[in-house]
Amino acid sequence: MNTVHDESTSLDTLVEELRRGEETWAAMSLSARRDLLTALSEAVREHAREWVDAACAIKRLDPGSHLAGEEWISGPYALLGGIGALSETLAALEAGRSPLDGTRLSKAPGNRVAVQVLPHNLFDRLLLNGFRAEVWTEPGVTAERLRETAGLGQRTPRETGGVGLVLGAGNILSIAPLDTLYELFAHNRVVLLKLNPVTDPLLPVLTKVFARFVELGLVRIVTGGVELGSAAVAHPGIAHVHITGSVTSHDAIVFGPGEEGRERQARDEARLDKPISSELGGVSPTIVVPGKWSKRDLAFQAEHIVTQKLHNNGYNCIASQVLVLSEDWPQKDEFLLALRGAFAAATARPAYYPGSDDRCRAAVNDHPGTAEQIADGSRVLLTVPADGDIAFTEEYFAPVLAVTALPGQGQEFLERAAAFVNERLSGTLGANVVAHPRTIRGLGDGFTRFVARLRYGTVAVNAWTGVGYLTARATWGAFPGHTLQDAQSGIGIVHNGLLLGGTERTVVRGPFRPFPRSVLTGRFTLSPRPPWFVTNRTAAVTGSRLTAFAGRPGWAKLPGIFASALRG
């Protein structure tokens, strides 16, 4: 059975099937588990077009539009990357090696260790030239401890963790499958996956993709509303809950709905009697460090920030919501002019996510006289004071971007910006930083200290934090330390294809300028305009070719990818 409603007998049956599947999972060797991943990869590759067509139907996009590239890249491509990373980790463990063997480890600020996760191989160096990513450990975690624990649940595969419930996200369609894999391989839990009602049309595709896992009783995929979700959370056979969604949904699960739930939360009296992990979004910032930019820099970075906001029409947990500028930057007004132009020129798309139009109207109503309704009111640009605004504490989850400014330049601005985003904005999932390489070099160690001060699960410098999401060996989740009573952007991590313990954040770096202008910054890279940019006109072709490559990597596929990417 792949679809149930709220009948307790049906739920009982599913949980019992998974309990038997847990025994199967415990008995499976690492080699057999890798075979399952191979079958999963082949199934994703086979059904990738069907997946993207279903995604475009959900989001009311033309499958022939360049916007379909978002669904290729954040859908089957992302899942295939995760499968490949896990398969390599299992192969290392099976051979008696650490998954970190051959991986570059270095020192990071504050007694941390940095693990290079991008580029991971030669193909990464070619396809994502100029992009880098490191996973930073928590302070005090040593390289020796990392090596000894890498592999997590796959180091003791017979010690399973029961039945886990995954409450899937309704926006990015690789989230639920990737969360399912993390439960299986990081925690050795078999999975009851409940889809978000927005993504229910993806059920036939996911059923085909996970067919082998379903046959063996390792995964069950269900659809249903709040009643089913509540029954599954409360079911005594469920050992753990993982949710991707809003902090409101999290709090209702943990403490109960309505006023009674809020009172319980105030007393820190959880109603949930089992552990929960979560990824809950938040108010993500983009900090623009003042410097001397060319007109083409201003235009490109305006497109970059508009992408951070309008990718998936703003329905991303790490969509940039607050743009932080320097009041004293001589080019501030020129940059805002370029930003407004890029914001207005981005391709129109339907507001498919429930409540989006209402949230846009609320943003306008909350800011009388300072809200700019762009593109027939479907996008909202806010100018807000730095001393306080609702846009700093409420995630709009809609095409709404707030702009604020702080005094200072150089190191003074960095100190103010770090304090502002750490202390004034809700959530800790991701923060973006845009800075000219010459400015970064001039700031020296001060810029490194600034990055280390940002309390976010992913920090992206001259890149979007979404690159961290796409990097299979990177960690993904909130900055550690949140509690059930104040969950912010969530508790725990996912992705993490190396299966590392003791991690704190991922730091991504990208090229300030695309190829060929990158040579003028002193850091030559081959990366053109990235395919995830909302302005990339060949994103769908590039995305489909990248997906085919991720399914079966091969040198012969590279020329076609490069040709499409360079036209974007």
Side-chain angles (χ1 to χ4, degrees):
M1 180 184 294
N2 294 314
T3 306
V4 299
H5 298 288
D6 61 344
E7 295 87 357
S8 59
T9 53
S10 296
L11 189 56
D12 287 342
T13 299
L14 289 168
V15 172
E16 181 57 35
E17 290 171 351
L18 287 166
R19 282 176 169 165
R20 293 196 296 270
E22 183 184 5
E23 297 175 3
T24 302
W25 187 237
M28 291 185 74
S29 66
L30 294 179
S31 177
R33 294 182 181 196
R34 277 202 302 120
D35 289 343
L36 272 180
L37 287 173
T38 299
L40 179 63
S41 180
E42 287 296 305
V44 174
R45 186 184 61 81
E46 179 182 353
H47 298 289
R49 169 63 68 177
E50 184 182 354
W51 175 321
V52 171
D53 286 345
C56 288
I58 290 168
K59 300 181 181 184
R60 305 203 296 276
L61 299 174
D62 177 359
S65 163
H66 71 279
L67 294 178
E70 295 179 1
E71 302 312 315
W72 281 105
I73 293 170
S74 67
Y77 172 78
L79 180 55
L80 286 166
I83 295 168
L86 286 171
S87 184
E88 284 191 17
T89 292
L90 264 64
L93 293 170
E94 187 182 358
R97 297 182 287 108
S98 168
L100 284 173
D101 287 353
T103 299
R104 181 177 180 271
L105 306 183
S106 59
K107 292 181 179 180
N111 194 26
R112 298 173 173 93
V113 175
V115 181
Q116 180 180 297
V117 293
L118 182 71
H120 177 70
N121 53 35
L122 180 57
F123 286 139
D124 284 348
R125 294 181 190 279
L126 293 171
L127 292 172
L128 290 166
N129 191 267
F131 287 90
R132 293 177 292 151
E134 297 175 334
V135 171
W136 289 9
T137 65
E138 294 179 319
V141 174
T142 64
E144 290 73 22
R145 177 181 160 192
L146 273 179
R147 290 191 177 93
E148 290 170 359
T149 59
L152 297 180
Q154 298 311 294
R155 299 183 68 87
T156 54
R158 297 190 63 83
E159 298 176 12
T160 52
V163 179
L165 171 66
V166 171
L167 299 173
N171 54 345
I172 296 296
L173 301 189
S174 61
I175 292 177
L178 284 168
D179 290 351
T180 296
L181 289 181
Y182 200 67
E183 286 290 290
L184 279 161
F185 288 91
H187 303 298
N188 263 340
R189 283 191 282 264
V190 294
V191 177
L192 175 62
L193 167 60
K194 181 197 169 297
L195 299 181
N196 184 292
V198 174
T199 68
D200 282 354
L202 199 65
L203 176 64
V205 179
L206 292 182
T207 300
K208 296 172 188 174
V209 164
F210 279 97
R212 288 288 294 131
F213 288 81
V214 172
E215 289 168 11
L216 293 169
L218 311 178
V219 171
R220 289 291 182 266
I221 308 172
V222 302
T223 62
V226 174
E227 295 81 5
L228 173 62
S230 299
V233 166
H235 196 284
I238 296 294
H240 181 275
V241 177
H242 178 79
I243 177 175
T244 300
S246 70
V247 70
T248 302
S249 297
H250 169 274
D251 292 346
I253 290 171
V254 174
F255 298 103
E259 184 60 32
E260 181 181 349
R262 287 188 288 273
E263 291 175 358
R264 283 179 173 271
Q265 185 174 8
R267 297 192 302 268
D268 197 15
E269 295 177 359
R271 187 178 68 173
L272 187 68
D273 61 354
K274 59 196 67 172
I276 182 171
S277 56
S278 52
E279 192 262 84
L280 307 174
V283 175
S284 292
T286 297
I287 300 167
V288 176
V289 183
K292 188 176 182 180
W293 296 8
S294 70
K295 288 187 179 297
R296 294 179 75 180
D297 292 338
L298 293 167
F300 178 77
Q301 293 301 339
E303 290 182 30
H304 190 186
I305 291 168
V306 165
T307 292
Q308 295 171 9
K309 175 72 269 180
L310 294 183
H311 182 281
N312 198 31
N313 207 37
Y315 312 132
N316 288 332
C317 295
I318 36 89
S320 180
Q321 180 162 308
V322 177
L323 178 61
V324 183
L325 303 176
S326 166
E327 287 180 355
D328 303 315
W329 185 27
Q331 293 181 289
K332 175 171 73 76
D333 291 340
E334 189 179 2
F335 178 67
L336 285 173
L337 183 64
L339 182 73
R340 284 185 174 91
F343 205 51
T347 302
R349 61 176 94 198
Y352 77 88
Y353 206 86
S356 175
D357 290 336
D358 291 339
R359 291 189 292 275
C360 283
R361 280 191 290 269
V364 173
N365 293 335
D366 289 339
H367 301 85
T370 60
E372 301 175 46
Q373 293 179 274
I374 295 173
D376 298 326
S378 63
R379 300 165 195 157
V380 180
L381 189 65
L382 309 174
T383 301
V384 299
D387 58 357
D389 192 86
I390 191 173
F392 300 163
T393 57
E394 180 175 320
E395 181 185 13
Y396 281 115
F397 211 69
V400 177
L401 178 64
V403 180
T404 194
L406 303 171
Q409 297 200 65
Q411 195 65 43
E412 178 189 12
F413 174 75
L414 294 187
E415 296 299 319
R416 285 197 171 108
F420 173 78
V421 300
N422 283 342
E423 298 166 12
R424 304 298 294 276
L425 304 187
S426 297
T428 64
L429 186 61
N432 312 284
V433 181
V434 178
H436 196 290
R438 185 170 53 242
T439 303
I440 294 174
R441 288 193 295 269
L443 289 163
D445 290 342
F447 188 82
T448 303
R449 292 194 301 271
F450 160 70
V451 171
R453 279 192 62 192
L454 296 173
R455 296 196 297 268
Y456 287 85
T458 299
V459 178
V461 179
N462 290 332
W464 179 34
T465 48
V467 179
Y469 177 89
L470 292 174
T471 302
R473 293 169 182 83
T475 54
W476 185 253
F479 196 78
H482 299 315
T483 65
L484 290 179
Q485 191 177 26
D486 184 20
Q488 294 277 319
S489 288
I491 299 169
I493 60 168
V494 289
H495 300 194
N496 187 25
L498 292 168
L499 300 180
L500 303 176
T503 62
E504 180 186 73
R505 73 178 85 185
T506 289
V507 178
V508 178
R509 292 180 174 86
F512 179 75
R513 290 172 174 164
F515 176 82
R517 289 194 308 114
S518 56
V519 71
L520 300 177
T521 63
R523 186 184 167 201
F524 177 74
T525 70
L526 295 175
S527 290
R529 176 184 282 107
W532 52 83
F533 266 41
V534 296
T535 52
N536 190 307
R537 297 295 170 177
T538 62
V541 174
T542 303
S544 65
R545 291 177 179 177
L546 283 169
T547 301
F549 177 87
R552 287 184 180 174
W555 291 100
K557 296 176 181 176
L558 294 181
I561 295 172
F562 290 143
S564 178
L566 288 169
R567 291 196 304 270

